Amino acid sequence: MKTFKCGGIHPDENKFTRHLSIETMPMPKLLAVPLIQHIGKPAALIVKLGEQVKKGQCIANADGFISASIHSPTSGKIKKIENHPHSGGKFVKTVFIESDGREEWAEGLNTDEIDFKKLSLEEKLKRIKDAGIVGMGGAGFPTHVKLSPPKDKKIDTLILNGAECEPYLTADHRLMLEKTDEILKGLSIIASFFPDGLKIYIGIENNKPDAIKLMNEKASPLGFEVVVLKPLYPQGGEKQLINAITKRTVGNGQLPFDVGCMVNNVATAYAVYEAVCKNKPLIERVLTVSGMAIKNKKNIKAPIGTMFSDIVDYCGGIASRTMNLLISGGPMMGKAQYSFDVPVIKTTSGILFIDEIKLAEKKERPCLRCGRCEEACSVNLKPWLLSNLAQKDVERTLEYGLNQCMECGSCAFVCPSKRDLVHWIKYAKVMNANIKAIGATERQ
Amino acid sequence: MENTKLIVSYPPYTKSKDSIEKVMYTVVFALLPAVVAAVYFFGLRALALIFVCSISAIGFEYLINVFRKQEIACFDGSALVTGILLALNLPSNLPYWMAVLGSFVAIVVVKQLFGGLGFNVFNPALAARVFLLISFPVAMTIWPIPFSVDMQTAASPLGILKTEGLKAANSITLWQAFIGNVGGSLGETSALALLLGSVILFWKKYITWIIPVSFVGATLAFTGIFHYMEPLKYASPAFHFTCGGLLLGALFMATDMVTTPVSKRGQLIFGLGCGLLTGIIRLFGGYPEGVSFAILIMNAFVPLLDKWDNYSNGKKWRLTKMRSVIVLTCIGFFSAFLLYMTDNITKEPIKKAIERVKVEALRQIFPFEFSDKDINIAFDKNGKEFFEIKNKDNSLRGIAVETSSDKGYGGEITILVAVSPDGKVFNYNVLSHKETPGLGNKIENEAFKKQFNGKTLDGFNWKVKKDDGFVDELTAATISSRAATDAVKKGLEVISNKYFVENKK
């Protein structure tokens, strides 16, 4: 069984929802659609307050090269446009849409399935761009940008990321089981952007044997190879997955296409299929609702813009009085929320309701220098040294590879002293960015 | 939802179940075999000493927590580990107040004044041991003999090696030293118990093989090279492995997380440095034991070793599987090579060297000068070796023979007796004995030897005065005196059997 070369941890999987089919959530009355749901520039708003919108209608255009457009998840009226809590932690300009309950699609969208082979590359890319598709594994990099890499980079390997190494999350797992054909069609569409001779892998961790079996049955005839991976976090990270499957190493400051690889998430592949074959923009996504503090754990398909409070109501309410953590995403890389009004966005792969009192009381203890963080680090850093330097001499953290850190949290997970290593590394990154900015201003 | 208080903190929101307490109490658990061995060999006094050290260490930790207005962390196990390790480094008859003083130095001076857990540069238990060793050199170097009821004391094997030489040290069997039946501090004597305890640390991955193997490997290699070059002057690597604090140091002291490098390359260099320094101090230093000093010196290098990696190329030195295999194979081959060397190739030099020693001994016991050519070796019908010293005209000037008596206090006494051609004793020389230092070993004194000068087998009662003989016994060493007398008499007997009885026939 394959896995990546260095570091990695294996936390308790807690995948309680692995056997639950995806339920489609009813349309909530009010949706909050933020204008930032991707990496890059916020989308430019093109609707006005009080305007009537149809389902799937574009409400904000991609603004600039790295950006993605945003669509109305339902038909209804623009009720207000104001700053609102966002799962990224900041207040973000958000469009509130009051649903009229008619679910009327805009013209030409959500058509019957067409054969993607009849479409030219330009048409396919345009459909993907117009649908506002971004990487749905968490980073949110616009897919149309990813599919047009610089001409001098030759892609010879395409990887479908079905690792889903985060504990609790089962959305990708269920999607692979229930939408197998659609995902494979989406993968074929992505593959059609690259020359023949492309090697196509589907990487799945072996804690999902049913998905492996199903994928093997359906993907092998298409010439795709299913690679069984040993469960190890953070295998779902691009660089780790490339290393696990192809043994290639994406170096410091390199991108996957520098080693001829491209990685796409299964949810992205599904969205690509819907955009190209059905001309359906990205207005809903599958996510896992789990954790000990929610009454009914579920895998749900929710419209983008659904506020977490609506999901709580749909899942039977909060079961624990002591619940203290609301997490958007998985427990390793997700973000704790301070409000139930935060909406689901394109990159929300799960919502967790945790009631661990111990976590609330956790306190940083002194570093024992046991070196486990170094062992666990999958990019070969010294988290203990970085976190110490961050508090004393923040500029020196750059000498020790600060910017290679992808904040996967493996180091903080294994630390016996419960040190907030990721916090200090993030802090050092922000401080160094500030120092750089100040330096640039002074030079001017 | 309305009543829920949400906490915002940084990810990850799930953590491993490891904690400082778990790490520390596992180390305590790993030390239990050594504690049991200490109590088995040195009795309840050892247990009492361990209790005194542990409780005083925890007490000082508590006091300093209160004094520095810190959170009370005296039960996190780290103070307990320091206390037990300190006790294991002390002789079992050390006065309690000295042990408490040691705990004070370890916890207050070395640990807390440097910033507390995680910030101390030097290993607290070792620094305290060195402090006690320098402050109370006598109390810290007199080691009770295992199983002795009235706290009889002896030097540790390494002490014997340093002060009395290899001959005396070789009387300790390696098995004795391995299981721990020798003089020494509580924890260092039993190599077996230490190895047993460390298994859990390896299994739990609290320590890696790098430091112990490189530390022990470097010590063995260094002492091995010298042993090979001069086998009679330097003890064998096996002796250095089983005796003294090497294993206690390599398994429990040099693997202390706080005061050793985090990076694998740093650990390798740290271990090799410790081993080399230990070897140098043991062979050439003023102190018999060098483990504590070696580890403390290397502790000071840790910050440097840890920041060594260069990130300009985006790569970090990692101990890959390949590198581990190479290092381990090299150490393995080197050890095997050394064993081969010491076992086979040294046989010849050892034999020659023994001959040389005997020639030296012969020169000492004859009252006249002679050259090597004048020595002739003869044998009797039993194959016993006789050293004949000839005149220029080939006539006999003197005869010497090796005899032994098993009536000694500590076991066998072997001597070389020199006799004139007319059967009068010239002198004798003790080749080996196991008598008590300071008492029984006075049989080597010239004053005692002189009594035998000119005596013949017939006409004298070959007994000590206590038994109506002519030999003035040594004060408080009657048994040793009897044994020496017995050995000299035996020598006279074999010589007279060969030279006088046969000649008469």
Side-chain angles (χ1 to χ4, degrees):
Chain A
M1 234 184 306
K2 289 181 175 176
T3 192
F4 53 94
K5 192 172 65 190
C6 64
I9 54 169
H10 192 223
D12 290 345
E13 285 173 8
N14 289 337
K15 299 206 186 248
F16 306 117
T17 50
R18 70 170 81 208
H19 300 300
L20 304 174
S21 326
I22 300 167
E23 291 176 30
T24 305
M25 198 184 147
M27 187 63 67
K29 286 228 169 60
L30 188 67
L31 292 164
V33 185
L35 296 183
I36 300 180
Q37 302 192 26
H38 49 261
I39 285 183
K41 245 180 139 182
L45 193 66
I46 55 166
V47 289
K48 288 192 203 85
L49 193 68
E51 198 177 319
Q52 203 73 29
V53 290
K54 295 235 167 103
K55 190 170 182 175
Q57 183 186 332
C58 186
I59 56 168
N61 262 334
D63 184 17
F65 180 58
I66 299 181
S67 185
S69 47
I70 287 163
H71 307 79
S72 171
T74 183
S75 60
K77 207 171 106 186
I78 310 283
K79 210 180 168 203
K80 54 182 176 179
I81 300 169
E82 61 177 35
N83 284 339
H84 187 74
H86 181 271
S87 58
K90 291 177 183 164
F91 272 68
V92 167
K93 201 174 194 184
T94 304
V95 180
F96 285 82
I97 302 167
E98 196 177 35
S99 172
D100 58 10
R102 285 192 296 234
E103 306 284 311
E104 270 180 274
W105 280 90
E107 211 176 315
L109 299 181
N110 199 21
T111 57
D112 292 335
E113 189 179 335
I114 56 161
D115 188 358
F116 67 87
K117 280 167 193 152
K118 287 178 188 158
L119 295 169
S120 70
L121 273 187
E122 287 74 29
E123 279 172 308
K124 279 187 269 191
L125 195 63
K126 187 173 183 300
R127 282 189 170 205
I128 290 170
K129 189 182 176 187
D130 289 348
I133 294 172
V134 300
M136 289 165 81
F141 190 80
T143 304
H144 66 273
V145 183
K146 199 173 186 175
L147 287 179
S148 30
K151 289 246 159 55
D152 55 325
K153 307 286 179 189
K154 203 174 163 292
I155 305 284
D156 58 12
T157 308
L158 177 65
I159 297 170
L160 183 69
N161 184 351
E164 201 164 51
C165 56
E166 276 264 9
Y168 291 96
L169 302 190
T170 56
D172 288 354
H173 182 189
R174 290 313 303 181
L175 205 61
M176 279 192 282
L177 289 176
E178 294 173 31
K179 305 283 180 192
T180 322
D181 296 324
E182 290 84 346
I183 291 168
L184 291 174
K185 271 181 198 162
L187 186 61
S188 304
I189 294 168
I190 296 168
S192 67
F193 283 85
F194 303 104
D196 293 339
L198 187 74
K199 276 195 181 144
I200 302 169
Y201 299 102
I202 302 172
I204 308 175
E205 289 192 349
N206 84 330
N207 53 10
K208 300 180 252 302
D210 43 358
I212 293 169
K213 193 166 164 253
L214 198 61
M215 277 290 177
N216 252 331
E217 277 168 21
K218 295 194 171 171
S220 303
L222 297 169
F224 305 160
E225 189 186 332
V226 176
V227 181
V228 182
L229 301 165
K230 186 180 157 201
L232 197 68
Y233 178 88
Q235 195 139 242
E238 249 179 356
K239 292 183 176 185
Q240 282 68 32
L241 194 65
I242 290 170
N243 184 254
I245 291 178
T246 66
K247 293 220 155 74
R248 294 177 201 175
T249 307
V250 186
N252 185 12
Q254 281 185 315
L255 287 169
F257 59 56
D258 290 320
V259 294
C261 292
M262 172 170 295
V263 181
N264 281 287
N265 187 267
V266 288
T268 316
Y270 179 63
V272 165
Y273 156 79
E274 288 204 312
V276 173
C277 296
K278 291 184 168 177
N279 206 6
K280 191 173 161 188
L282 180 54
I283 54 165
E284 58 188 10
R285 71 155 295 148
V286 177
L287 55 99
T288 302
V289 182
S290 188
M292 300 317 279
I294 190 82
K295 207 163 235 166
N296 304 318
K297 302 176 187 70
K298 282 180 199 297
N299 293 304
I300 57 171
K301 187 194 256 185
I304 304 290
T306 310
M307 282 182 272
F308 286 8
S309 48
D310 293 323
I311 291 172
V312 174
D313 292 337
Y314 178 69
C315 294
I318 287 163
S320 163
R321 279 162 182 269
T322 54
M323 170 185 161
N324 52 18
L325 270 174
L326 172 65
I327 301 165
S328 162
M332 296 301 296
M333 285 185 83
K335 284 203 170 83
Q337 305 299 319
Y338 55 86
S339 162
F340 283 96
D341 294 334
V342 169
V344 170
I345 59 170
K346 290 172 184 174
T347 55
T348 310
S349 48
I351 305 173
L352 302 182
F353 301 81
I354 311 276
D355 66 342
E356 265 200 64
I357 297 179
K358 273 184 195 160
L359 270 179
E361 288 172 348
K362 78 181 168 135
K363 212 176 268 179
E364 271 196 315
R365 309 269 302 271
C367 171
L368 287 181
R369 299 165 41 83
C370 64
R372 284 207 213 160
C373 49
E374 248 189 88
E375 289 283 302
C377 184
S378 55
V379 286
N380 263 339
L381 300 177
K382 297 168 182 289
W384 62 274
L385 185 59
L386 289 174
S387 76
N388 282 346
L389 285 176
Q391 297 166 61
K392 290 175 196 158
D393 190 359
V394 77
E395 279 176 274
R396 285 198 65 201
T397 51
L398 295 170
E399 292 170 29
Y400 293 96
L402 175 77
N403 289 327
Q404 290 175 61
C405 176
M406 55 169 190
E407 296 161 42
C408 70
S410 302
C411 50
F413 173 83
V414 294
C415 181
S417 294
K418 315 289 170 212
R419 293 179 71 75
D420 290 325
L421 297 167
V422 186
H423 164 78
W424 287 114
I425 287 169
K426 182 83 187 161
Y427 169 83
K429 282 182 178 174
V430 173
M431 290 302 284
N432 278 316
N434 288 348
I435 291 167
K436 208 174 160 188
I438 292 166
T441 341
E442 276 172 359
R443 273 196 298 280
Q444 280 171 8
Chain B
M1 250 189 299
E2 289 72 35
N3 305 325
T4 309
K5 277 189 183 169
L6 293 176
I7 295 167
V8 181
S9 67
Y10 213 79
Y13 303 106
T14 174
K15 300 235 171 180
S16 64
K17 292 187 183 75
D18 246 331
S19 65
I20 293 181
E21 283 77 10
K22 209 170 159 189
V23 173
M24 291 301 169
Y25 286 110
T26 310
V27 177
V28 172
F29 190 73
L31 283 170
L32 278 185
V35 169
V36 171
V39 176
Y40 175 71
F41 287 120
F42 299 107
L44 288 175
R45 182 65 166 73
L47 194 64
L49 194 69
I50 291 169
F51 263 106
V52 167
C53 283
S54 313
I55 288 167
S56 58
I58 293 171
F60 284 126
E61 180 97 357
Y62 175 80
L63 289 178
I64 202 118
N65 284 156
V66 172
F67 185 71
R68 287 181 67 194
K69 299 193 176 74
Q70 291 169 325
E71 199 187 334
I72 304 299
C74 60
F75 296 110
D76 65 4
S78 64
L80 182 61
V81 169
T82 303
I84 296 178
L85 280 176
L86 175 64
L88 292 181
N89 271 301
L90 302 175
S92 65
N93 61 347
L94 193 80
Y96 293 126
W97 67 270
M98 285 187 194
V100 174
L101 186 63
S103 293
F104 175 81
V105 171
I107 296 293
V108 178
V109 180
V110 183
K111 186 178 167 193
Q112 291 290 352
L113 292 191
F114 277 79
L117 180 64
F119 296 96
N120 49 307
V121 180
F122 298 103
N123 187 316
L126 275 186
R129 174 201 159 116
V130 168
F131 167 81
L132 290 176
L133 181 67
I134 295 170
S135 310
F136 313 106
V138 178
M140 283 294 290
T141 46
I142 291 179
W143 315 98
I145 297 169
F147 303 122
S148 66
V149 189
D150 51 352
M151 287 278 170
Q152 280 179 308
T153 56
S156 68
L158 286 171
I160 294 170
L161 180 66
K162 180 109 314 181
T163 54
E164 295 173 46
L166 184 59
K167 218 162 55 174
N170 274 346
S171 63
I172 297 153
T173 66
L174 289 179
W175 177 247
Q176 218 182 340
F178 184 69
I179 59 166
N181 191 6
V182 288
S185 74
L186 292 187
E188 70 182 24
T189 59
S190 179
L192 181 67
L194 291 170
L195 286 170
L196 218 61
S198 69
V199 169
I200 185 167
L201 294 185
F202 282 113
W203 178 57
K204 282 268 176 189
K205 291 188 182 164
Y206 287 157
I207 60 178
T208 57
W209 58 267
I210 302 174
I211 291 181
V213 170
S214 56
F215 190 163
V216 173
T219 310
L220 295 190
F222 187 80
T223 54
I225 288 166
F226 281 91
H227 177 66
Y228 164 63
M229 293 195 313
E230 281 188 73
L232 282 168
K233 197 166 164 201
Y234 300 106
S236 70
F239 180 85
H240 282 287
F241 178 73
T242 49
C243 294
L246 182 60
L247 277 177
L248 181 64
L251 291 171
F252 290 97
M253 300 295 200
T255 55
D256 168 42
M257 293 164 174
V258 176
T259 56
T260 53
V262 177
S263 69
K264 299 284 174 273
R265 175 167 60 181
Q267 290 182 355
L268 192 65
I269 294 165
F270 181 87
L272 293 175
C274 284
L276 198 65
L277 285 171
T278 302
I280 291 172
I281 297 170
R282 279 190 178 182
L283 297 192
F284 309 114
Y287 284 92
E289 176 60 302
V291 172
S292 321
F293 295 106
I295 295 174
L296 287 175
I297 291 167
M298 289 312 290
N299 280 163
F301 283 91
V302 167
L304 201 63
L305 291 174
D306 261 342
K307 290 186 183 171
W308 191 359
D309 286 306
N310 173 13
Y311 281 88
S312 58
N313 57 1
K315 280 178 190 164
K316 191 177 80 171
W317 195 91
R318 263 186 109 92
L319 197 80
T320 55
K321 265 184 198 154
M322 205 53 218
R323 279 179 176 146
S324 335
V325 170
I326 292 170
V327 171
L328 278 178
T329 323
C330 285
I331 292 175
F333 267 112
F334 194 68
S335 314
F337 176 73
L338 276 177
L339 275 180
Y340 173 77
M341 286 293 201
T342 46
D343 253 37
N344 289 314
I345 301 181
T346 55
K347 267 181 190 162
E348 233 3 73
I350 287 176
K351 215 172 171 186
K352 273 185 191 156
I354 287 172
E355 295 299 323
R356 239 193 345 265
V357 167
K358 280 191 180 157
V359 170
E360 285 306 309
L362 287 175
R363 283 191 202 288
Q364 285 172 21
I365 52 178
F366 285 106
F368 42 80
E369 299 282 316
F370 55 92
S371 70
D372 287 0
K373 285 181 207 159
D374 299 332
I375 306 171
N376 179 40
I377 297 176
F379 298 92
D380 69 1
K381 52 192 178 226
N382 301 324
K384 182 126 186 105
E385 221 177 16
F386 293 88
F387 302 93
E388 297 174 341
I389 314 294
K390 303 276 188 179
N391 277 322
K392 291 241 163 69
D393 56 355
N394 221 13
S395 62
L396 214 54
R397 265 180 102 182
I399 315 142
V401 73
E402 198 184 316
T403 60
S404 64
S405 165
D406 52 5
K407 291 176 181 165
Y409 187 74
E412 204 175 52
I413 293 176
T414 311
I415 63 168
L416 198 62
V417 194
V419 180
S420 66
D422 53 355
K424 283 181 186 156
V425 176
F426 280 136
N427 203 347
Y428 71 90
N429 208 341
V430 180
L431 293 179
S432 74
H433 75 88
K434 291 172 191 170
E435 302 311 284
T436 320
L439 298 171
N441 66 349
K442 282 187 187 155
I443 54 172
E444 289 178 299
N445 287 3
E446 285 306 318
F448 182 73
K449 290 179 184 173
K450 245 181 195 161
Q451 311 179 59
F452 298 98
N453 196 354
K455 303 286 188 296
T456 53
L457 186 60
D458 304 319
F460 290 96
N461 188 8
W462 282 86
K463 279 181 179 161
V464 294
K465 285 206 169 130
K466 219 177 194 172
D467 308 331
D468 303 325
F470 74 93
V471 182
D472 247 333
E473 67 261 25
L474 290 160
T475 320
T478 315
I479 295 173
S480 304
S481 311
R482 277 184 193 142
T485 313
D486 184 49
V488 178
K489 186 186 167 196
K490 273 187 187 164
L492 268 177
E493 279 169 2
V494 288
I495 287 172
S496 80
N497 276 345
K498 176 164 163 65
Y499 292 91
F500 312 133
V501 179
E502 281 173 16
N503 284 356
K504 275 171 199 165
K505 277 178 188 172

